[in-house]
Amino acid sequence: MRDIIFKIILNIFKSWKKYYFDFSQFGEEKVLFNIFQRISSKKKLNNTYIDIGGFDPIKFSNTYKLYQKNWSGLVIEPNKDKTINWKKIRPRDHVISSAVVEKSYEKKVLKIFFDKKNSAMSTAYPLSNVDKLGHYDASVIKFNEIISICKNKYGNPSFLNIDIEGNEEKILMELKDLNFIIPVICAEIFLEEKKMQYSVFDYKDLPVIMFLEEIGYYLININGPSLIFCHKDYWIPYSKL
């Protein structure tokens, strides 16, 4: 009987190997994998990421597939309930239970608002109905502190993923203070409905996009609200590979 059960399980496993499991929310991981494979064919990468707004070690993750390929890095998620099992699933990662803020932020805590407890849409920057939302106080950590921790533990990151439901722009602006290049960035950035910005071409007018272009980043892919950038020193055009 055990042999029969084992054969059934083995056959199920073999059938699963035929399929690709995408853990990201909008298909970002396949695009990211393609980019990293292209870069790696020409340049050496440090297999390290910084994942700001980690949410879950597997679900909606742009870094879990990288972790499976022997990457590791810093994960920043202010809600400790969301990371309670992170070390069991991804033990090589270093988890920081704080909210990321810009260097000008002066308070020691940041209010995180939510409609449903532990939802993916928790944010410190709600656009409406604040009085109807629950909230909790999160400790804060500044972006430059995260960079220092990452460099000490893993070296310079090759990938920055940031999804904090608001304020991504201010954090990204601090890239100008780095003394090294992060080759690839994925950031969730929304267009403004009030301005009737519905086309991807509207992104070109956003200050953060213009800033990233000025410091050498190409916007190379858009997956829903996730924008993927690659620095010009690392980007290999699709026509060349």
Side-chain angles (χ1 to χ4, degrees), residues 95-113:
V95 179
I96 298 174
S97 298
S98 297
V100 180
V101 295
E102 65 276 17
K103 60 185 177 182
S104 61
Y105 189 84
E106 296 181 350
K107 297 179 181 178
K108 293 184 178 180
V109 296
L110 183 68
K111 285 189 183 301
I112 307 293
F113 296 87

Side-chain angles (χ1 to χ4, degrees), residues 9-62:
I9 293 172
L10 184 61
N11 287 332
I12 292 172
F13 177 74
K14 286 180 178 178
S15 68
W16 282 355
K17 291 181 74 175
K18 298 176 185 177
Y19 302 99
Y20 181 91
F21 291 90
D22 190 330
F23 301 103
S24 59
Q25 188 172 11
F26 298 103
E28 297 95 331
E29 71 172 35
K30 269 200 167 184
V31 177
L32 291 166
F33 253 69
N34 180 277
I35 293 168
F36 288 124
Q37 286 172 349
R38 298 163 69 78
I39 293 174
S40 297
S41 69
K42 304 292 183 182
K43 296 191 177 188
K44 184 173 176 59
L45 288 173
N46 182 27
N47 290 355
T48 294
Y49 48 72
I50 294 177
D51 193 348
I52 301 177
F55 173 60
D56 187 274
I58 298 175
K59 184 181 180 181
F60 298 157
S61 177
N62 291 341

Side-chain angles (χ1 to χ4, degrees), residues 52 67 78 114 117 128 151 177 185 232-233:
I52 301 177
Y67 185 88
F114 57 87
K117 189 176 181 181
S128 60
K151 291 177 75 171
D177 299 327
I185 297 169
K232 63 182 181 181
D233 291 351

Side-chain angles (χ1 to χ4, degrees), residues 10 13 53 123 129 227 234:
L10 184 61
F13 177 74
T123 178
N129 299 323
L227 277 60
Y234 289 86

Side-chain angles (χ1 to χ4, degrees), residues 68-200:
Q68 291 181 322
K69 296 294 183 180
N70 209 35
W71 284 57
S72 56
L74 253 60
V75 175
I76 299 88
E77 169 56 57
N79 188 336
K80 293 181 181 180
D81 290 343
K82 293 178 181 178
T83 59
I84 192 167
N85 293 315
W86 201 290
K87 277 297 181 182
K88 295 177 183 177
I89 299 170
R90 295 166 58 166
R92 295 193 309 274
D93 285 345
H94 179 74
V95 179
I96 298 174
S97 298
S98 297
V100 180
V101 295
E102 65 276 17
K103 60 185 177 182
S104 61
Y105 189 84
E106 296 181 350
K107 297 179 181 178
K108 293 184 178 180
V109 296
L110 183 68
K111 285 189 183 301
I112 307 293
F113 296 87
F114 57 87
D115 182 17
K116 294 181 180 179
K117 189 176 181 181
N118 297 333
S119 77
M121 298 301 291
S122 300
T123 178
Y125 314 96
L127 298 176
S128 60
N129 299 323
V130 178
D131 55 329
K132 297 180 181 180
L133 300 175
H135 74 272
Y136 65 92
D137 289 337
S139 61
V140 299
I141 185 169
K142 297 190 176 180
F143 183 62
N144 63 323
E145 294 178 276
I146 289 170
I147 295 296
S148 296
I149 293 170
C150 186
K151 291 177 75 171
N152 289 334
K153 285 186 171 291
Y154 301 99
N156 291 344
S158 294
F159 176 44
L160 169 63
N161 187 74
I162 177 167
D163 178 1
I164 53 176
E165 307 300 330
N167 210 42
E168 285 88 351
E169 291 90 342
K170 287 184 179 179
I171 302 301
L172 289 170
M173 291 287 191
E174 296 193 4
L175 289 171
K176 67 179 183 299
D177 299 327
L178 299 187
N179 58 6
F180 67 93
I181 294 168
I182 300 177
V184 180
I185 297 169
C186 181
E188 185 176 84
I189 299 173
F190 286 93
L191 292 167
E192 293 188 44
E193 272 191 66
K194 291 180 180 178
K195 294 182 180 179
M196 297 184 69
Q197 294 178 327
Y198 302 120
S199 169
V200 294

